[in-house]
Amino acid sequence: EAGVAQSPRYKIIEKRQSVAFWCNPISGHATLYWYQQILGQGPKLLIQFQNNGVVDDSQLPKDRFSAERLKGVDSTLKIQPAKLEDSAVYLCASSLDGQGRNSPLHFGNGTRLTVT
Amino acid sequence: GQQVMQIPQYQHVQEGEDFTTYCNSSTTLSNIQWYKQRPGGHPVFLIQLVKSGEVKKQKRLTFQFGEAKKNSSLHITATQTTDVGTYFCAGYMDSNYQLIWGAGTKLIIKP
């Protein structure tokens, strides 16, 4: 099966600019996750969708980050305006199980964001 | 808040030595998953443990889930250079849909 697709692979922007990341999960996977991973740390969940509904966005900085999952398939994550501390790898993952509890997460290659 | 503590943060071993990483949760987990992330790569699923006291093996890797379903370990026998990377545990809390990640243990092979 095709894996989780993410784009772009790399992005360099200046602070206060905006940026958007795109994710296409594995076909048929109900649950989609966006994670932020800062160098040397574990993944931090930003938002979790089940189909096109939000299950958990408690750690999403809503004043600058937004995400949507149109028609329960593709998803975009946007940052506006970006700050220096947003420099990280943004990982998209999907899982088959509707509640996400018993299915492994499949990750995309991530987008490495550098904010200067 | 709910946490999964993972230790050690780093482990340096000579090739051929064993490696172990431990995860402990403050609350009961419904299941626990283990992932490996190679340098520059993304986390890749290794295994899931669901039952109390469960032990699973994958070649040189042995995974255990504690009797109380609050702790887990990953043991690698006779490490090889291909084992280099960071190993993460991630547990689902009994009470909600949240998958809580450990901070990871980085396996470093000494030259």
Side-chain angles (χ1 to χ4, degrees):
Chain A
E1 61 182 5
V4 176
Q6 284 190 251
S7 67
R9 190 77 175 89
Y10 303 93
K11 190 74 177 178
I12 301 174
I13 61 172
E14 295 181 352
K15 59 184 179 184
R16 292 188 288 274
Q17 287 187 324
S18 62
V19 64
F21 313 125
W22 173 82
C23 174
N24 183 235
I26 292 173
S27 177
H29 279 199
T31 309
L32 185 147
Y33 313 76
W34 281 103
Y35 282 91
Q36 180 192 60
Q37 188 173 29
I38 293 172
L39 188 63
Q41 298 183 17
K44 171 189 167 185
L45 180 69
L46 293 174
I47 190 166
Q48 177 180 339
F49 294 94
Q50 181 180 327
N51 298 308
N52 59 353
V54 175
V55 173
D56 183 357
D57 63 356
S58 57
Q59 298 191 89
L60 186 73
K62 298 180 183 64
D63 57 333
R64 298 184 302 107
F65 286 64
S66 64
E68 59 182 5
R69 189 180 184 195
L70 299 175
K71 300 180 182 178
V73 182
D74 291 10
S75 178
T76 56
L77 175 69
K78 296 180 181 178
I79 308 175
Q80 182 179 11
K83 293 185 176 181
L84 295 176
E85 60 260 35
D86 298 332
S87 293
V89 175
Y90 291 84
L91 293 163
C92 178
S94 68
S95 66
L96 179 63
D97 189 290
Q99 293 184 355
R101 285 197 182 200
N102 294 313
S103 302
L105 272 62
H106 298 261
F107 284 85
N109 288 326
T111 298
R112 183 176 297 277
L113 174 67
T114 303
V115 182
T116 63
Chain B
Q2 296 158 335
Q3 284 189 326
V4 172
M5 304 300 294
Q6 188 172 358
I7 56 169
Q9 187 176 3
Y10 301 94
Q11 190 166 3
H12 294 76
V13 300
Q14 298 277 5
E15 188 174 4
E17 292 182 336
D18 292 356
F19 162 86
T20 305
T21 173
Y22 302 90
C23 283
N24 289 286
S25 170
S26 55
T27 59
T28 303
L29 302 170
S30 61
N31 60 48
I32 192 160
Q33 299 175 352
W34 285 91
Y35 293 80
K36 176 184 178 181
Q37 186 172 23
R38 295 181 184 273
H42 57 272
V44 174
F45 175 77
L46 294 176
I47 208 160
Q48 176 170 271
L49 304 171
V50 180
K51 299 176 183 177
S52 169
E54 190 169 15
V55 178
K56 287 188 176 180
K57 292 191 176 184
Q58 288 179 349
K59 298 182 180 178
R60 296 177 293 102
L61 279 62
T62 302
F63 303 84
Q64 293 188 336
F65 201 10
E67 293 290 341
K69 299 184 73 174
K70 288 185 175 183
N71 57 75
S72 182
S73 64
L74 158 60
H75 181 82
I76 303 177
T77 303
T79 55
Q80 299 175 358
T81 54
T82 54
D83 297 325
V84 163
T86 301
Y87 293 84
F88 292 97
C89 62
Y92 275 107
M93 299 294 146
D94 252 350
S95 55
N96 56 35
Y97 297 125
Q98 288 190 344
L99 181 64
I100 307 298
W101 288 74
T105 296
K106 190 171 185 178
L107 170 58
I108 300 163
I109 304 283
K110 297 177 188 176

